[in-house]
Amino acid sequence: MITFLSAIILLVCGYLFYAKFVERVFVINDAQVTPAYEKTDGLDYVPMPWWKGWFIQLLNIAGLGPIFGAVAGALYGPVAFIWIVAGCIFAGAVHDYFSGMLSLRHGGAQFPALVAKYLGNTVKSAVNVISLILMILVAAAFTAGPAQLLTQLTPLSFTAALILVFTYFLLAAVLPVNQIIGKIYPIFGVILVVMAVSIGVALLFGGKPIPELTLANLHPGELPVWPLIMVTISCGAISGFHSTQSPIVSRTLKKESEGRKVFYGAMIGEGVIALIWAAAGMTFFGGTAGLQEALAAGGPAGVVNEISVSLLGTFGGILAILGVIILPITTGDTALRSSRMILSDWLSGLVNMDRKGMVLIMTIVVSIPTFYLSTIDYSFLWRYVGWSNQVVATVMLWTAVSYLLKEGKNHWIAGVPAMFMTGVVCTYIFYAPEGFGMAYGTSMAIGLTLAAIVIALYVRQIFRFKRMESDVSASAS
């Protein structure tokens, strides 16, 4: 219990202190007109209260990630607490803050546009493809999942439920952000928070000891912590998907000082949710072996349902059902909206079309593969989502590093997590079954060598900018 409570306190302190430090490095300017006012269009650029932005951001980035991912990551034992806390404060929240604030500074720009500005058009082209694939896969997964559950709970057939969910997705993708998303997300957000807090309180007073910190790897399958836990627990620590969602909210903020509360704060909120569910997974089933058996029997949805009903009774069962239906829907709809926005921005210079026509056509273009994938067994593709998600996160961190270097600011706040995540994604792709499936030692050697090359390029850039600063100072004198 001490470890669990300490971890929550650390996350809160991360927001109270480190978030302010990051904000000072960025240097906010509330006198600057935000895109919500500068580009008001009644569709995507709409001024909204920051608290609505917080709920929208939380639900956009959360989905089932901080619940299902945290439960799966709990198989490694209390070491998951370390990754959630450190990853959230120093990597994930920094990633989300810069993805949101750089978008805010650049007229509500999408993630690929930011990559192009700070890392070049070559990287942008690759990121456009990866981002779109990631968005479409997420939207498809979060169409099929809720549809299957609705089929179990109602007389609806799977096809009817699928059409119902997808119809909502289409409406959320094309209607003004304040008409559906802005109105219902705060309600859904309250459900998510109440669900997590209720489970957390029940854990504290449930009589079962919450495991204390140990650095030992307790995974029953003896899978290595590095780099697997960093991909398993992404939402709740760091997730590249967030950088594709932040522009939705950056186009609604009224002033720059709201960014810390919305972008950094929502990530801390997600970290707390992940921490609670990781603790629940470790505690409820009497250890990681019991948790593995439960996951094998009922999957993560079954585990969440069993924990909720057992700890909270009927109320918990209702929350679990609402959560498993609502949370993926509130991520899938904005994933579809983001894919529409990314594709529109990508093709805006090539297609001569009015804004309403562009919105409609691009929504149709991304909807066709999304709906198709939601009707088939595409699990072989879904396996790549975890890695591609963390690649996007790594690229966003390097984008922030480039921005900070060019501005002469403290680049280490993004540089350290960027180096760490580079090592993660480089090692993972060689070791994982969906990658090259190499031996662990070989994967470590190749992955860390590639990471070292990237780090060397980073160091070279640091010295390059220092030389440029020295030349400017010499010329001025």
Side-chain angles (χ1 to χ4, degrees):
M1 183 180 296
I2 294 175
T3 300
F4 175 63
L5 291 175
S6 298
I8 291 180
I9 291 171
L10 286 172
L11 285 173
V12 173
C13 289
Y15 174 74
L16 293 176
F17 301 106
Y18 195 67
K20 290 183 179 179
F21 171 70
V22 172
E23 184 182 60
R24 285 196 297 272
V25 171
F26 184 80
V27 185
I28 59 172
N29 178 14
D30 278 345
Q32 184 165 317
V33 179
T34 63
Y37 291 110
E38 186 180 16
K39 298 184 176 182
T40 301
D41 63 358
L43 179 64
D44 295 321
Y45 296 88
V46 180
M48 293 173 58
W50 73 264
W51 61 269
K52 280 193 175 183
W54 187 88
F55 275 117
I56 292 172
Q57 180 73 1
L58 179 65
L59 284 168
N60 284 356
I61 67 178
L64 289 171
I67 300 177
F68 284 10
V71 168
L75 287 171
Y76 292 91
V79 69
F81 292 155
I82 299 176
W83 169 236
I84 291 172
V85 172
C88 184
I89 294 173
F90 300 109
V94 171
H95 166 280
D96 289 14
Y97 183 78
F98 278 97
S99 65
M101 294 305 291
L102 287 178
S103 174
L104 191 69
R105 280 280 173 90
H106 294 84
Q110 288 289 318
F111 166 60
L114 298 176
V115 171
K117 182 173 180 62
Y118 292 104
L119 297 180
N121 285 319
T122 301
V123 181
K124 175 194 174 183
S125 298
V127 164
N128 262 323
V129 174
I130 293 174
S131 298
L132 277 173
I133 291 174
L134 181 60
M135 293 303 93
I136 289 171
L137 285 174
V138 169
F142 290 162
T143 303
Q148 289 171 348
L149 189 56
L150 283 172
T151 301
Q152 297 170 11
L153 299 175
T154 69
L156 292 174
S157 66
F158 176 71
T159 301
L162 200 66
I163 293 173
L164 180 64
V165 173
F166 202 75
T167 299
Y168 163 75
F169 279 14
L170 289 173
L171 291 173
V174 300
L175 289 177
V177 68
N178 61 331
Q179 284 192 9
I180 291 184
I181 293 174
K183 289 181 179 178
I184 67 173
Y185 269 42
I187 300 171
F188 292 163
V190 170
I191 293 174
L192 172 60
V193 172
V194 169
M195 182 183 184
V197 171
S198 299
I199 293 295
V201 172
L203 278 177
L204 292 174
F205 298 98
K208 293 184 178 181
I210 301 174
E212 299 296 350
L213 181 62
T214 173
L215 298 180
N217 178 7
L218 303 182
H219 198 292
E222 298 183 352
L223 295 178
V225 172
W226 168 280
L228 298 188
I229 198 172
M230 291 84 190
V231 177
T232 303
I233 305 179
S234 54
C235 291
I238 179 172
S239 168
F241 177 72
H242 299 186
S243 64
T244 67
Q245 301 301 292
S246 295
I248 293 178
V249 180
S250 75
R251 299 179 179 192
T252 70
L253 296 188
K254 296 180 178 180
K255 53 186 179 180
E256 289 192 353
S257 58
E258 295 175 343
R260 175 171 58 87
K261 291 179 282 191
V262 172
F263 300 120
Y264 200 105
M267 184 63 223
I268 292 295
E270 188 185 52
V272 172
I273 293 170
L275 197 69
I276 289 171
W277 280 102
M282 296 176 207
T283 304
F284 185 81
F285 297 98
T288 57
L291 174 59
Q292 186 181 52
E293 292 177 4
L295 285 170
V303 166
V304 169
N305 184 67
E306 186 174 351
I307 292 174
S308 300
V309 172
S310 298
L311 293 181
L312 303 176
T314 303
F315 173 69
I318 294 172
L319 283 178
I321 292 171
L322 287 173
V324 174
I325 293 177
I326 289 173
L327 293 182
I329 287 178
T330 55
T331 297
D333 59 0
T334 49
L336 192 65
R337 189 182 185 96
S338 294
S339 61
R340 182 264 291 173
M341 291 164 63
I342 290 173
L343 192 59
S344 296
D345 289 354
W346 191 4
L347 301 178
S348 59
L350 303 175
V351 179
N352 185 17
M353 189 180 299
D354 65 89
R355 181 163 176 75
K356 288 185 178 179
M358 176 71 82
V359 168
L360 181 60
I361 295 299
M362 293 303 105
T363 301
I364 293 173
V365 169
V366 297
S367 294
I368 292 172
T370 300
F371 188 78
Y372 172 71
L373 286 173
S374 67
T375 64
I376 66 172
D377 180 12
Y378 60 96
S379 57
F380 69 99
L381 290 175
W382 186 247
R383 290 183 303 176
Y384 294 92
V385 170
W387 178 75
S388 62
N389 182 46
Q390 298 305 60
V391 168
V392 170
T394 305
V395 172
M396 182 60 237
L397 285 172
W398 284 120
T399 301
V401 169
S402 180
Y403 162 77
L404 292 168
L405 278 170
K406 290 179 180 179
E407 293 293 319
K409 298 177 179 179
N410 182 354
H411 54 87
W412 295 111
I413 60 172
V416 172
M419 290 187 286
F420 180 85
M421 289 305 297
T422 300
V424 168
V425 297
C426 287
T427 304
Y428 183 88
I429 194 61
F430 288 100
Y431 177 68
E434 61 269 26
F436 294 100
M438 294 183 177
Y440 184 63
T442 304
S443 303
M444 285 279 286
I446 298 174
L448 295 181
T449 299
L450 291 175
I453 293 172
V454 174
I455 292 170
L457 294 173
Y458 173 34
V459 173
R460 188 178 72 172
Q461 283 294 91
I462 294 173
F463 284 109
R464 176 173 168 266
F465 276 98
K466 283 186 176 180
R467 285 196 301 271
M468 291 171 61
E469 290 174 1
S470 300
D471 292 342
V472 170
S473 298
S475 298
S477 59

